[in-house]
């Protein structure tokens, strides 16, 4: 099963990964992305990074905070 990931706010634009029951946080870790620094959006809605990844397409949006 494949998951297409579109990145917003990153140098990379898109990757496709094989998913076999991993959580979004595990996939992000494997890509060198801190799961606490992003929002994962599937079908227009944010999903918790500890949810099991489903095949399809998601957007990973970098969250920037500051003051």
């Amino acid at each position: 099963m494949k998951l297409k990931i579109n990145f917003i706010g990153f140098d990379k634009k898109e990757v496709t990964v094989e998913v076999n029951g991993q959580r979004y946080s595990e996939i992000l870790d494997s890509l060198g992305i801190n799961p606490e620094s992003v929002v994962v959006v599937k079908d227009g809605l944010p999903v918790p990074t500890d949810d099991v990844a489903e095949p399809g397409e998601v957007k990973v949006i970098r969250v920037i905070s500051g003051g």
Side-chain angles (χ1 to χ4, degrees):
M1 299 187 291
K2 296 191 185 275
L3 175 66
K4 181 177 171 183
I5 304 171
N6 294 301
F7 296 95
I8 299 173
F10 291 85
D11 291 336
K12 53 182 137 189
K13 297 293 180 196
E14 179 180 297
V15 298
T16 300
V17 296
E18 196 70 31
V19 291
N20 296 307
Q22 304 100 315
R23 299 187 183 282
Y24 289 109
S25 59
E26 295 168 331
I27 294 169
L28 292 168
D29 279 337
S30 73
L31 296 171
I33 298 170
N34 179 350
E36 294 180 13
S37 68
V38 297
V39 174
V40 177
V41 177
K42 184 169 178 71
D43 299 326
L45 298 171
V47 295
T49 57
D50 62 350
D51 276 6
V52 174
E54 298 176 0
E57 187 172 338
V58 296
K59 292 180 184 178
V60 174
I61 304 169
R62 175 168 277 168
V63 177
I64 300 172
S65 63

